[in-house]
Amino acid sequence: MKPRVVALATWVIGGMWLATSQAAGPGPEKKLESMIAPDTIIKVVKKDTLAVPVVTQPCQPGKCPFAGQKVTIIANKGTTIMGPFIEAKTEFEAATGAKLEVIGVTLNEHFANFMSDVTNGIGKIDASIAAAWWVGELVAGDFILPVDKYYKDSRFPKWDIDDVLPAPRSLLTYGKHKYMVAYDHDGQVFYYRRDLFNDAAHQTAFKQKYGYPLAIPQTWDQVRDIAEYFHGKDLNADGKPDAGLTMHLKAGAQGMFHYMSFSAPYVIGPGNPHLYWFDPQTMKPLIESPGHVKALQALINLTKFGPREILTWDLGESWDYFLAGRAAMTFTWGDLGALAQNQGSYVKGKTGAAPIPGSMGYYNVAGKKWVATTKPNIVGNTTGGSWAGVISRYSKAPEATYFLLAMMANKEKVRVFAAQGFDGVDPGRTSQLLPPDGVAKIDDYLKAGWAEADIRAYSKAYAENYANPLQMPYLRIPGAYAYWLALDIHLFEAVSGQLTAEQALRATAVDFEEITTRMGRDKQRKVYRASLGL
C-alpha cells in the first residue's frame, strides 16, 4: 500500500484499510476486521522537513482562471500523502482564484467515501488521491474522467508522463487513456547493511561456512544463508543479539504486499510474464500453483531468522527494528531508504539497496512445468498503492481540479517529495533518480541530508526495479482489495504454523472463487483482461 509515514506522538501512519467494493457484499474480508490496527507508529527517527518549491505564479485580479470555484479533494488523513496538498493550498489559490478543501480520512474510509460520492452522482468530492488498484473499478463504473485533453493544454502546469519510468507509468493509464495524474510511485526493493556485508571478518567467516562470497544476494536462497549467518549476532554494538532480517507478518498489516514481491520470481518469468493471479480465459485462481507454494514455503523458512515478534508486528515496528540497526536485511518500500537518513537512524550511511532477489527457476502455469534459469530470475514490481490523483466524473470544477493535480505532479516538487521520508511519496521518475538512470542532482540529495553511498545505491535499485521488462502483474479489477485481504488472512495462517503453505493457498483460491462469483465472473474476466492489455 505504501502507507503514510509518521513519527511517534505527532505523525500517524495509516494502517490497513478495510473498504472494498460494496458490490462484493460480505465475504472473507469480514474475518479480519477485528484484527486491523488503525495506526502504526515510527519511533526511531525524527521527522524531516524540506522546502518545497513554488512552481506557479499568482494570477492578476480579474484574470484568475478559476475564480469563484472550489476544489475538494479526499486523501489519506495525516501529515503524509495529503500533507503536501495542504502545504500547497496557498500557492494553488493564489494561482487560480479557486478555493481548496482537503478532506483527510482514514484509509478505512477513503475508498468507501469516494465510491459513495461517485456511485450516487453527488459530486461533492472533485478528486481522490487514489490507490492504483482502484482504477479498474472506477473506470469500469465510468466514475472518473480521463485527463488526456487537459494533459497538453498550456493553461495547466506542465508535468511529463514520460518522466515516469515504464513500470509505474503503466499504472497511470487504463485502456488507451490517462486517468491518474502522477504523484507517488510505489515499488519494493531489498535493503541490506552495507557495513556488515563489507566487514572483512564477516566475509571470511561467511565464505568458510557457505562456500561462496558474502555479497548482495541475487536469490532468496542466498538471502536465507545470509540471514542464518547474521542471526543472533550483535549488529548495533548494544550487547544484545539481533536478527538476520526483519519482516512484519501481523494479519491486517500489509503482509500480502510483501508476499507479492517475494513470490513473483517463483511464478513470473520470460515464458510467463502475466499469469500470476488468474487465468484470463476462465478467471480460475492461479494462487495455489506450485510456484506460489514454493515461494510461501521459502518465506516461512525465512521467518526463523527474524525477531520473535514478527508475527505481531506491523510495518512501522519492522521499519523501526531496521532503523535501530537490529537487522542485517529487509525488503520494503522506498520510505525506509529515506527514513534511514533522518536523525536517530543507526543505519544512515550503512544502508545498501538492490532489486528484490530472484530465484533460479519459476513455474510456468501455462506450460504446467518448472522452468530452470541459467541466471537469477529477477522480477520488478510496482507493489503498493502508487497514490495519484483521479478526477470524479461528477466534479463541478474538473479543470481547476486538474490544475491542482498537475501542479503537484511538477518535477520540481516531486524531486523534494522523493528526498524526504515522511511524505509517503516514493520515487519513480527520471527526475528523481541520479545519472545515468535519471537527471536528479546528487547535491540536492546531499543537502537533504542523505549519505552519498546510500542515495547512489537507492537510486540504482529503483531504476533497475522499474526498468525490468519482467514485472509483478498489478491487480486492477473490482474487488481487488477483497482478493488481497483473503490472501493476507491465509498468509498469516501459514507463517504462524496454523496451515501448511499448500493448505493456506488452497484456502485462498477458494475465497478467490467466492469473490469472483459474487462480483460476476464475466464482468471480472472482461476487466481483468483489459487490465493486462489483452
Side-chain angles (χ1 to χ4, degrees), residues 72 94 220 311 413 441:
T72 300
W220 286 113
L311 292 180
K413 287 185 180 290
K441 298 177 181 178

Side-chain angles (χ1 to χ4, degrees), residues 187-530:
Q188 296 188 334
V189 295
F190 182 79
Y191 294 98
Y192 64 95
R193 286 279 299 281
R194 187 189 307 106
D195 58 324
L196 299 178
F197 279 50
N198 290 344
D199 182 89
H202 286 313
Q203 290 177 343
T204 299
F206 181 87
K207 188 171 184 179
Q208 288 176 344
K209 183 172 183 179
Y210 296 97
Y212 64 92
L214 174 61
I216 302 170
Q218 298 297 298
T219 68
W220 286 113
D221 286 344
Q222 293 172 352
V223 172
R224 185 258 175 224
D225 290 346
I226 298 170
E228 180 183 52
Y229 171 78
F230 281 113
H231 191 62
K233 292 179 170 62
D234 180 7
L235 306 181
N236 62 354
D238 66 354
K240 299 177 182 178
D242 296 313
L245 81 166
T246 181
M247 297 184 286
H248 70 289
L249 298 174
K250 178 181 178 181
Q254 308 170 68
M256 77 285 190
F257 282 121
H258 292 69
Y259 171 77
M260 294 173 200
S261 301
F262 183 95
S263 63
Y266 293 92
V267 180
I268 298 300
N272 179 42
H274 300 301
L275 302 184
Y276 179 96
W277 294 107
F278 300 97
D279 182 328
Q281 300 299 330
T282 65
M283 286 300 292
K284 177 183 177 181
L286 303 176
I287 199 71
E288 58 177 329
S289 77
H292 279 287
V293 172
K294 186 172 182 178
L296 184 51
Q297 289 170 338
L299 182 66
I300 292 169
N301 188 36
L302 274 182
T303 63
K304 69 180 74 171
F305 307 119
R308 290 177 298 177
E309 299 87 351
I310 59 175
L311 292 180
T312 61
W313 273 356
D314 60 24
L315 182 62
E317 289 166 308
S318 179
W319 284 358
D320 270 345
Y321 198 81
F322 186 84
L323 293 169
R326 300 206 61 193
M329 300 174 290
T330 192
F331 62 103
T332 190
W333 288 288
D335 309 69
L336 183 63
L339 290 169
Q341 311 307 311
N342 288 15
Q343 184 178 350
S345 168
Y346 181 86
V347 296
K348 179 177 179 178
K350 305 172 183 177
T351 301
I356 293 288
S359 65
M360 293 306 296
Y362 63 96
Y363 185 80
N364 187 331
V365 294
K368 297 183 179 180
K369 64 180 181 179
W370 280 99
V371 178
T373 56
T374 57
K375 61 181 181 179
N377 182 47
I378 306 292
V379 179
N381 71 87
T382 51
T383 300
S386 287
W387 303 91
V390 296
I391 302 175
S392 166
R393 179 165 294 281
Y394 303 99
S395 169
K396 299 175 178 63
E399 292 188 348
T401 301
Y402 180 79
F403 189 104
L404 170 68
L405 299 179
M407 183 183 83
M408 298 301 287
N410 180 275
K411 64 178 61 178
E412 298 302 319
K413 287 185 180 290
V414 300
R415 283 175 181 150
V416 176
F417 297 155
Q420 58 187 6
F422 277 90
D423 58 21
V425 181
D426 284 351
R429 312 190 197 190
T430 58
S431 58
Q432 296 168 322
L433 302 179
L434 299 177
D437 305 300
V439 297
K441 298 177 181 178
I442 185 67
D443 286 348
D444 290 340
Y445 279 99
L446 298 182
K447 290 175 183 177
W450 281 73
E452 182 171 352
D454 290 2
I455 183 54
R456 290 195 182 279
Y458 179 87
S459 177
K460 186 174 185 291
Y462 270 101
E464 292 180 0
N465 175 64
Y466 289 139
N468 191 334
L470 282 178
Q471 290 286 323
M472 162 71 206
Y474 196 100
L475 191 63
R476 295 194 295 172
I477 64 175
Y481 172 69
Y483 292 112
W484 288 350
L485 187 52
L487 174 60
D488 188 73
I489 294 169
H490 298 305
L491 287 176
F492 179 79
E493 291 173 336
V495 296
S496 62
Q498 299 175 53
L499 298 177
T500 66
E502 294 92 337
Q503 291 169 338
L505 292 171
R506 176 57 187 159
T508 303
V510 170
D511 282 348
F512 276 22
E513 280 282 81
E514 178 186 339
I515 296 165
T516 297
T517 299
R518 287 188 286 116
M519 298 295 294
R521 188 171 301 273
D522 289 342
K523 172 187 172 184
Q524 293 296 84
R525 176 184 173 275
K526 180 180 179 180
V527 178
Y528 182 59
R529 288 179 61 84

